[in-house]
Amino acid sequence: MAADPDIEATWKTMRAALRAILQPHIQAALLEDDVTAIADWLNANGWKPPLRKLDPIIAAGRAARDHAARKEPQ
């Protein structure tokens, strides 16, 4: 993970959100290990947390392109 404080804070926020989502479904003894494993996997595969909210026009355009790409036959 990065040394930038903004990026570190966003990773911590992502981990907290992931912990909150998984907590009702995973034993307490395994929760932190699972959150760490998922965060490490995301980091190893190049995921970087967004540092700011996208402009709604950009977000809508990306969503439309993604939706169109998923509808095209493979």
Side-chain angles (χ1 to χ4, degrees):
M1 293 184 227
D4 184 300
D6 291 335
I7 294 174
E8 283 296 322
T10 307
W11 271 102
K12 287 179 184 177
T13 301
M14 184 275 299
R15 289 174 65 98
L18 185 58
R19 193 176 297 108
I21 292 167
L22 294 177
Q23 191 170 16
H25 308 286
I26 295 179
Q27 296 175 15
L30 302 175
L31 181 62
E32 203 54 43
D33 289 342
D34 289 346
V35 168
T36 298
I38 293 169
D40 289 347
W41 183 85
L42 289 170
N43 190 42
N45 284 286
W47 183 82
K48 300 295 181 228
L51 295 179
R52 58 184 167 77
K53 294 278 186 188
L54 288 178
D55 183 273
I57 293 173
I58 293 173
R62 288 182 181 175
R65 283 192 304 276
D66 183 59
H67 184 69
R70 291 173 190 265
K71 288 179 103 175
E72 292 176 6
Q74 298 291 332

